[in-house]
């Protein structure tokens, strides 16, 4: 099956990177790499300032994965990394001891920060950094303004029992074990989707929602004022992939996030959370894993076309086939 001429993908970090690689692989195997444009609208809610450097985890996870220089085991950072500078920062008491910045990774953070200080937008910086490798896809920050996810979590030591912290502290220091009460997108009121992100969503033939964290990756993309409307308004079919298989999240600690917003950790519950486009939501189609085939009727009941297919992405073959299944569902809508 030939690939569409243009594909937009909403994606977060680790799960997003695997899925984007799968879409790229499927397009290559279809012989359409030259004529198909893949644009990835990437979550920037995990971004932060650390040791004076601007860190953009999800953009970096996808960039490194498409470049083939990522640490496949950890899912973030560079392969063959060393941590000499990080040890020095710890000795100076600068940065976070629980958040390791590899030496090669720091090279990207210094380059990004230097380019930002010269007045470039994050979109321009991403264009510059990603030009280093033939990624086969364009990475687009969801917003150029800084909109960082702040987690308000239960902490018995905090004055009123709730402590606000940057998402990265909650995620990497506390491993999402402090119950989250709410997720705040700090600065979101003054933010808007970038023109390039809106263009990708508005003009692509297909829009795919990667199996990323529905709350702090996809939710924070859609939470940028105007983004949800843009997805709802596109003439392209919008097809998502469940980040939950057989009641457990594929990666990360998305269940802690889903629980915090009162959504069950289930393939159909996430689809219903995103909502059918016909009912005020963003989805036209949804893929669940074969083990969740029993949930297809519930998703269809919600007005979303659903199919049960293998969702585990273990290698280029399984990732490419998942992409093909998502595009096939989109083509049927
Ligand atoms: N995750 C960790 O669990 N521990 C770390 O020390 C860590 C460092 C790190 C440095 C740069 C970067 O881009 C990502 C890093 N991550 C680390 C992963 C990060 O928390 C995740 O990539 C996303 O933000 C959540 O999906």
């Amino acid at each position: 099956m030939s690939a569409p001429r243009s594909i937009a993908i909403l994606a977060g970090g680790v799960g997003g990177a695997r899925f984007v690689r799968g879409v790229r692989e499927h397009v290559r195997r279809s012989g359409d790499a030259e004529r198909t444009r893949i644009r990835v609208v990437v979550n920037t809610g995990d971004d932060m300032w650390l040791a004076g450097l601007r860190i953009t985890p999800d953009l970096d996870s996808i960039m490194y994965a498409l470049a083939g220089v990522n640490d496949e085991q950890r899912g973030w950072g560079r392969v063959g990394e060393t941590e000499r500078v990080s040890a020095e920062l710890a000795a100076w008491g600068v940065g976070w001891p629980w958040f390791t910045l590899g030496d090669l990774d720091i090279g990207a953070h210094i380059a990004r920060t230097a380019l930002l200080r010269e007045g470039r937008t994050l979109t321009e910086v991403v264009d510059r950094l990603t030009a280093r490798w033939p990624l086969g896809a364009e990475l687009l920050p969801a917003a150029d303004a800084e909109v960082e996810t702040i987690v308000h979590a239960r902490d018995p030591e905090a004055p009123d029992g709730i402590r606000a912290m940057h998402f990265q502290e909650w995620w990497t220091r506390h491993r999402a074990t402090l119950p989250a009460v709410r997720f705040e997108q700090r600065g979101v009121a003054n933010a808007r989707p970038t023109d390039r992100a809106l263009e990708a969503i508005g003009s692509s033939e297909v829009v795919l929602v990667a199996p990323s964290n529905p709350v702090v990756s996809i939710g924070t993309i859609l939470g940028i004022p105007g983004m949800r409307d843009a997805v709802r308004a596109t003439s392209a079919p919008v097809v998502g992939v469940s980040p939950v298989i057989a009641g457990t999240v594929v990666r990360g600690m998305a269940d802690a996030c889903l629980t915090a917003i009162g959504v069950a950790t289930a393939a159909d519950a996430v689809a219903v959370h995103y909502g059918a486009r016909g009912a005020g939501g963003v989805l036209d189609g949804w893929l669940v894993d074969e083990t969740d085939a029993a949930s297809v009727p519930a998703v269809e009941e919600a007005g979303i076309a659903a199919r049960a297919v293998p969702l585990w992405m273990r290698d280029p073959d399984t990732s490419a086939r998942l992409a093909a299944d998502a595009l096939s569902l989109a083509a049927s809508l």
Side-chain angles (χ1 to χ4, degrees), residues 13-14 46 55-58 60-61 64 74-77 98-102 105 109 167-168 171-172 175 217:
V14 183
D46 295 3
I55 317 288
T56 60
D58 286 356
D60 291 356
S61 287
Y64 293 156
R74 288 193 309 188
W76 49 270
W98 62 82
F99 196 84
T100 307
L101 294 175
D105 199 31
H109 307 323
F167 164 79
Q168 288 297 356
W171 194 258
T172 62
R175 313 305 304 167
S217 292

Side-chain angles (χ1 to χ4, degrees), residues 151-228:
V151 182
H152 295 255
R154 290 202 192 295
D155 178 355
E157 282 135 50
D160 56 356
I162 304 273
R163 184 153 62 87
M165 67 189 82
H166 190 284
F167 164 79
Q168 288 297 356
E169 179 173 358
W170 183 68
W171 194 258
T172 62
R173 185 181 195 185
H174 300 291
R175 313 305 304 167
T177 55
L178 297 178
V181 174
R182 93 184 152 91
F183 298 95
E184 172 198 356
Q185 291 187 258
R186 189 156 290 172
V188 74
N190 310 320
R192 51 179 300 283
T194 67
D195 292 342
R196 297 262 296 279
L198 292 174
E199 164 72 17
I201 291 165
S203 69
S204 291
E205 278 180 38
V206 180
V207 175
L208 300 177
V209 180
S212 298
N213 188 309
V215 182
V216 292
S217 292
I218 303 302
T220 40
I221 292 171
L222 294 173
I224 306 290
M227 190 72 83
R228 185 181 300 275

Side-chain angles (χ1 to χ4, degrees), residues 10-21:
L10 306 189
V14 183
R18 293 216 166 140
F19 183 67
V20 173
R21 255 190 331 202

Side-chain angles (χ1 to χ4, degrees), residues 183 214-215 244 249 253-266 270 273:
F183 298 95
V215 182
V244 175
V249 289
M253 299 160 273
D255 42 349
C257 302
L258 286 166
T259 304
I261 65 165
V263 175
T265 300
V270 175
H273 169 63

